Amino acid sequence: MEYKSTYTEEEVKELYKWFDEQHYENTVDLGHGVNVKDVKLLVESSRTVAFKKSDNPTYSGQIYLLFRVRDELIKQGKVQ
């Protein structure tokens, strides 16, 4: 997913549906020195903001991070 200044509610629902339905490793390296040590904590702690603020550009970076985590988990074969 490319970065966007806002995300639709449908995009956010689809993203969280993916996280809820998959079994994935709990750590992921996003490159450039960015490592997520607890993916499940990141996903859960971002849930409220993602749903309530998806149309607010201020929070687009946080939502984009979740899309990057999902894409990297898939790319690195960390999804069962």
Side-chain angles (χ1 to χ4, degrees), residues 4 7 11-12 15 17 20-21 25-26 34 41 58 67 76 80:
K4 297 171 22 176
Y7 295 90
E11 288 171 320
V12 173
L15 175 65
K17 182 179 179 192
D20 290 342
E21 292 177 349
E25 291 186 28
N26 204 31
V34 178
L41 178 61
T58 301
F67 280 105
Q76 295 176 21
Q80 299 174 358

Side-chain angles (χ1 to χ4, degrees), residues 34-50:
V34 178
N35 295 297
V36 178
K37 301 287 185 192
D38 193 336
V39 173
K40 291 175 183 166
L41 178 61
L42 173 68
V43 170
E44 287 308 311
S45 64
S46 300
R47 188 177 294 263
T48 301
V49 169

Side-chain angles (χ1 to χ4, degrees), residues 21-74:
E21 292 177 349
Q22 299 297 318
H23 296 285
Y24 49 86
E25 291 186 28
N26 204 31
T27 61
V28 66
D29 181 357
L30 300 179
H32 305 288
V34 178
N35 295 297
V36 178
K37 301 287 185 192
D38 193 336
V39 173
K40 291 175 183 166
L41 178 61
L42 173 68
V43 170
E44 287 308 311
S45 64
S46 300
R47 188 177 294 263
T48 301
V49 169
F51 278 107
K52 290 187 176 183
K53 305 291 185 177
S54 63
D55 61 346
N56 185 331
T58 301
Y59 299 94
S60 61
Q62 187 173 355
I63 297 168
Y64 177 63
L65 175 62
L66 295 170
F67 280 105
R68 282 193 58 208
V69 167
R70 180 199 63 186
D71 294 346
E72 281 300 317
L73 286 168
I74 293 168

